[in-house]
Amino acid sequence: MSFLRSPFNPLIKPGDVIPTRSDFEVICAFNAGVARYRDEVILLLRIAERPQNRDPNIHLCPIYDPVNDKMVILEFAKEDPRCDFSDSRLVRTDAGLFLTSISHLRLARSHDGVHFEIEDKPALFPANIYENYGIEDPRITGLGGRYYINYSGISDIGITTCLASTEDFRSYQRHGVIFYPDNKDVEIFPEKIDGKYYALHRPSPSSLGRPEIWLAESPDLLCWGNHRHLMGLRDDCFDSGRIGGGAVPFRIDEGWLEIYHGADRNNRYCLGAVLLDAKAPWRVLARSRRPIAEPETEYEVNGFFGNVIFSCGALYEDGKVKIYYGAADTCMCYAEMPLAEILSSLV
Amino acid sequence: MSFLRSPFNPLIKPGDVIPTRSDFEVICAFNAGVARYRDEVILLLRIAERPQNRDPNIHLCPIYDPVNDKMVILEFAKEDPRCDFSDSRLVRTDAGLFLTSISHLRLARSHDGVHFEIEDKPALFPANIYENYGIEDPRITGLGGRYYINYSGISDIGITTCLASTEDFRSYQRHGVIFYPDNKDVEIFPEKIDGKYYALHRPSPSSLGRPEIWLAESPDLLCWGNHRHLMGLRDDCFDSGRIGGGAVPFRIDEGWLEIYHGADRNNRYCLGAVLLDAKAPWRVLARSRRPIAEPETEYEVNGFFGNVIFSCGALYEDGKVKIYYGAADTCMCYAEMPLAEILSSLV
């Protein structure tokens, strides 16, 4: 499969990004939402920061305090037997989970699609009780001259999906929680179908069911319903552990093409593709049997969380699918694929 | 607290209900949705059935097969070490969870509110892939001359909330899945507020967050959004383990009164009450510190799943709150409480 990686990869690395505080460090710049805006490609990056830690005996967890509008740093002793530090991304305690970093969204602009100017300040920063552990993994959907940004709001209350919007990528308006816990990987379709908005979403049930892809409809982008189970895990495939939507789906002659992610039980994240019916997007017409992209390069295999290719946005232009993707939960990369090759691989 | 139990309790017992098949037995008749319809009180009972089992060496799990529209009975050997039978309600296996009974909804009618005639046939029976493990715990909300019935759709895909409606409690229309997995304990408010429908709901997140009560709004009863976390668990109270809405909320002078359920970490289910602002139902004005009802009688303490009082509906008439409730996940009961006494207990 021709997953043509840019020679400039990684396009953006953590060291390229200015932290929001002098005592913080940026450890990940990845999983960006993507839009074409005028003559520029816009990336809305997820930037994960953590407090600089000079004490080898403690772990630090940053939390945003929405009541006092300030960052709080929790300390956990590495020798504390009540704490589990085995996952680099979090600390497990009797009092619940805490994250070792906190994410916000940061804008980057490019004329050629591979060289980006990154803004110095956040575009969207945690701002309320649904975001006190950070905001993550945005997707951008252009609709009627406005750009709708949905992102994961992470907090001790749960993992929600929140909606914001902008006309100019300078000022942003928040619209509230559109999917309650646990839900991630929401992609709003860029056109109405038969008068209704549609979105892919990925609930993570706590008892029956598995982390799989559902479809919802909406009259107003804020309220979502008529939920339908769209596609499931496959025990013998690259997507045996969890799946979720990736890039915002785009319209081609054959229907809607969705680049999704599938992880196996070892948490190796690959990209797959699925073709949905143009007028009835709850109908799966064809789906990748094998990944269209899998982690192979050094920057995809090694990082904050290795063996991950994860896309939150792609552009379909000139017959090419231009895929922006986070690599190893660390940096931002780019690859191109001929549409025909993706389509011919679907079964 | 004056939780005045009816001397006719339990009003309805499993033996009062005719099973849907001669080789099935009804084991639970409980957790009914409640409505006043003309001069009758309507109960929409949850009826749990299971195959009669004459072989002491096996467990049986009934599943509805929507493709072939028939019931399938799975057999599990009691000596199979891969199966966990420790919870009477289910069998845990490597291939997932299976329930030991399957529920449908059955209508019962009464003129005096305590003596009921139970129909011979189901009102609503599992009918699609979201319901193959059964349908459970209905709530009924009257709105604009129509009665909206939401219920839990249980399946191997997850625990959803589905919507149906009726004008006459004879014919029913299904409207699809309104809350994706995991979500239970949905109560739709019986009036629009400022042009919007509102509902309580109870997500069960798989990672961050706990089983707590949220509020959602809707333009059309089908699509729900602007989700807000309404109220949480309290570590030192009767509701330290899980909470969820119970009866459909009803309007009083002071706001909206909601009778909810709270369980502690030992799965002892009590009723509490919460008062919500009349025009801003996302504002909690007052809440029970102690239960307004707790399992005490023999039929509440002992049963299919003991120590449970669980209400899906109440009527507020003549200054009295008429609470219908499932007892011990087995039978249907009734109690009255003076509204003033509930209100004076809230803090």
Side-chain angles (χ1 to χ4, degrees):
Chain A
M1 191 80 70
S2 312
F3 187 68
L4 303 168
R5 291 171 176 84
S6 168
F8 299 105
N9 275 353
L11 302 188
I12 297 168
K13 298 188 293 295
D16 302 334
V17 182
I18 297 173
T20 57
R21 293 160 52 135
S22 58
D23 58 342
F24 273 31
E25 58 186 348
V26 172
I27 55 170
C28 316
F30 65 130
N31 295 4
V34 180
R36 181 161 287 281
Y37 174 67
R38 299 184 176 165
D39 60 344
E40 293 180 321
V41 175
I42 292 286
L43 293 186
L44 197 55
L45 294 152
R46 171 179 168 193
I47 303 298
E49 301 177 292
R50 69 181 174 196
Q52 293 175 20
N53 182 2
R54 296 192 175 80
D55 184 342
N57 299 312
I58 59 171
H59 280 279
L60 301 177
C61 291
I63 297 178
Y64 173 75
D65 170 3
V67 175
N68 300 300
D69 187 26
K70 65 172 190 177
M71 201 67 76
V72 176
I73 316 289
L74 303 183
E75 296 190 6
F76 298 94
K78 283 190 182 170
E79 291 184 353
D80 190 334
R82 295 166 303 176
C83 298
D84 175 358
F85 304 106
S86 60
D87 185 326
S88 63
R89 299 171 298 183
L90 49 89
V91 176
R92 286 178 207 278
T93 76
D94 295 342
L97 291 182
F98 300 93
L99 305 190
T100 55
S101 65
I102 187 163
S103 291
H104 66 267
L105 309 185
R106 187 83 66 99
L107 204 79
R109 300 166 183 275
S110 171
H111 286 287
D112 67 1
V114 289
H115 296 91
F116 281 88
E117 272 191 39
I118 307 163
E119 294 191 348
D120 289 349
K121 303 284 183 191
L124 285 162
F125 197 78
N128 57 53
I129 59 167
Y130 305 105
E131 305 177 353
N132 69 344
Y133 284 17
I135 58 179
E136 305 183 351
D137 299 356
R139 274 80 170 182
I140 307 174
T141 300
L143 271 165
R146 205 165 173 85
Y147 292 87
Y148 289 87
I149 300 158
N150 63 262
Y151 58 86
S152 298
I154 318 292
S155 78
D156 51 344
I157 303 175
I159 298 173
T160 67
T161 292
C162 307
L163 188 67
S165 69
T166 183
E167 281 186 352
D168 55 11
F169 291 101
R170 294 184 192 281
S171 68
Y172 301 87
Q173 187 185 350
R174 273 177 161 88
H175 304 289
V177 175
I178 57 172
F179 289 86
Y180 54 80
D182 273 2
N183 207 304
K184 278 186 169 181
D185 301 325
V186 170
E187 292 83 29
I188 298 171
F189 285 58
E191 289 173 24
K192 281 187 171 184
I193 303 168
D194 204 13
K196 294 172 185 169
Y197 298 105
Y198 282 86
L200 305 171
H201 64 102
R202 209 285 303 281
S204 292
S206 61
S207 55
L208 291 159
R210 306 197 288 182
E212 299 181 330
I213 301 178
W214 290 60
L215 183 79
E217 61 183 56
S218 171
D220 57 10
L221 298 172
L222 303 177
C223 297
W224 294 89
N226 196 17
H227 301 281
R228 292 184 245 211
H229 183 261
L230 184 71
M231 52 191 268
L233 304 181
R234 297 177 297 189
D235 286 337
D236 58 341
C237 272
F238 69 95
D239 46 10
S240 59
R242 54 180 54 235
I243 54 174
V248 170
F250 53 89
R251 186 73 166 83
I252 57 175
D253 290 344
E254 293 80 356
W256 292 98
L257 193 68
E258 165 64 13
I259 311 287
Y260 73 96
H261 68 264
D264 63 16
R265 296 192 187 87
N266 296 317
N267 284 318
R268 184 172 184 264
Y269 279 74
C270 298
L271 298 183
V274 60
L275 182 68
L276 307 177
D277 188 272
K279 296 194 171 170
W282 53 91
R283 291 206 185 106
V284 173
L285 302 180
R287 177 176 173 185
S288 298
R289 193 75 208 159
R290 287 181 297 175
I292 61 168
E294 45 193 323
E296 288 170 349
T297 66
E298 192 280 333
Y299 52 82
E300 292 160 356
V301 171
N302 299 307
F304 186 65
F305 195 83
N307 278 312
V308 172
I309 289 184
F310 191 98
S311 177
C312 294
L315 300 173
Y316 172 50
E317 295 173 338
D318 315 320
K320 286 183 294 201
V321 183
K322 302 174 175 179
I323 300 176
Y324 291 87
Y325 66 99
D329 273 15
T330 301
C331 55
M332 201 62 215
C333 296
Y334 175 75
E336 293 181 353
M337 298 191 77
L339 176 65
E341 195 169 333
I342 296 176
L343 288 180
S344 66
S345 75
L346 304 183
V347 292
Chain B
M1 192 81 70
S2 313
F3 187 68
L4 303 168
R5 292 170 175 84
S6 167
F8 299 105
N9 276 352
L11 302 188
I12 297 169
K13 298 188 294 292
D16 301 333
V17 182
I18 297 173
T20 58
R21 295 160 51 135
S22 58
D23 57 344
F24 273 30
E25 58 186 348
V26 172
I27 56 170
C28 316
F30 64 131
N31 295 3
V34 181
R36 179 160 290 281
Y37 175 66
R38 297 181 178 168
D39 61 343
E40 293 178 322
V41 175
I42 293 284
L43 293 185
L44 197 55
L45 294 153
R46 170 178 168 193
I47 303 298
E49 300 177 292
R50 69 181 175 198
Q52 292 175 19
N53 182 3
R54 295 194 175 78
D55 184 342
N57 299 312
I58 59 170
H59 280 280
L60 301 177
C61 291
I63 297 179
Y64 173 74
D65 170 3
V67 175
N68 300 299
D69 187 26
K70 66 172 190 178
M71 202 66 76
V72 177
I73 316 288
L74 303 184
E75 296 190 6
F76 299 94
K78 283 190 181 170
E79 291 184 353
D80 191 334
R82 296 166 303 176
C83 298
D84 174 359
F85 303 107
S86 59
D87 186 326
S88 64
R89 299 171 298 182
L90 48 91
V91 177
R92 288 178 206 276
T93 77
D94 296 341
L97 292 182
F98 300 93
L99 304 190
T100 55
S101 66
I102 187 164
S103 291
H104 66 267
L105 308 186
R106 187 83 66 99
L107 203 79
R109 301 166 183 274
S110 171
H111 286 286
D112 67 2
V114 290
H115 296 91
F116 281 88
E117 272 192 39
I118 306 164
E119 294 190 347
D120 289 350
K121 303 283 183 192
L124 284 162
F125 197 77
N128 56 53
I129 59 167
Y130 306 104
E131 304 177 355
N132 70 345
Y133 284 17
I135 58 178
E136 306 184 350
D137 299 355
R139 273 81 171 181
I140 307 173
T141 300
L143 270 164
R146 207 164 172 85
Y147 293 87
Y148 289 87
I149 300 158
N150 63 263
Y151 57 86
S152 299
I154 317 291
S155 79
D156 51 345
I157 304 175
I159 298 172
T160 66
T161 293
C162 306
L163 187 68
S165 69
T166 184
E167 281 186 352
D168 55 9
F169 291 100
R170 295 185 190 281
S171 69
Y172 301 87
Q173 187 185 351
R174 272 176 162 86
H175 305 288
V177 175
I178 56 171
F179 289 85
Y180 54 81
D182 273 1
N183 206 304
K184 278 187 169 181
D185 300 325
V186 171
E187 293 84 28
I188 298 171
F189 285 58
E191 290 174 24
K192 280 188 172 183
I193 302 168
D194 203 14
K196 294 172 184 168
Y197 298 105
Y198 282 86
L200 305 171
H201 65 102
R202 208 288 300 279
S204 292
S206 61
S207 55
L208 291 160
R210 307 199 286 184
E212 300 181 328
I213 301 178
W214 289 60
L215 182 79
E217 61 182 55
S218 172
D220 57 9
L221 297 173
L222 303 175
C223 296
W224 294 88
N226 196 17
H227 301 282
R228 290 185 248 211
H229 182 261
L230 184 71
M231 50 191 267
L233 305 180
R234 297 179 296 189
D235 286 337
D236 58 341
C237 271
F238 68 96
D239 46 10
S240 59
R242 54 179 55 236
I243 54 175
V248 170
F250 53 88
R251 186 75 167 82
I252 57 174
D253 290 342
E254 293 80 357
W256 292 98
L257 192 69
E258 165 63 15
I259 311 287
Y260 73 96
H261 67 264
D264 62 17
R265 296 192 187 86
N266 295 317
N267 283 318
R268 183 170 186 265
Y269 281 73
C270 298
L271 298 183
V274 60
L275 182 67
L276 307 177
D277 187 272
K279 298 195 169 168
W282 52 91
R283 292 205 185 107
V284 173
L285 302 181
R287 178 175 173 185
S288 298
R289 192 76 209 161
R290 288 182 297 176
I292 62 168
E294 46 194 321
E296 288 170 350
T297 66
E298 192 280 332
Y299 52 82
E300 293 160 354
V301 171
N302 299 309
F304 186 64
F305 195 84
N307 278 312
V308 173
I309 289 184
F310 191 99
S311 175
C312 294
L315 300 173
Y316 172 50
E317 295 172 340
D318 316 319
K320 285 185 291 200
V321 182
K322 302 174 174 179
I323 300 176
Y324 291 87
Y325 66 99
D329 273 14
T330 301
C331 55
M332 200 61 214
C333 296
Y334 175 76
E336 293 181 354
M337 297 189 76
L339 175 65
E341 195 167 335
I342 295 178
L343 289 180
S344 66
S345 75
L346 305 183
V347 293

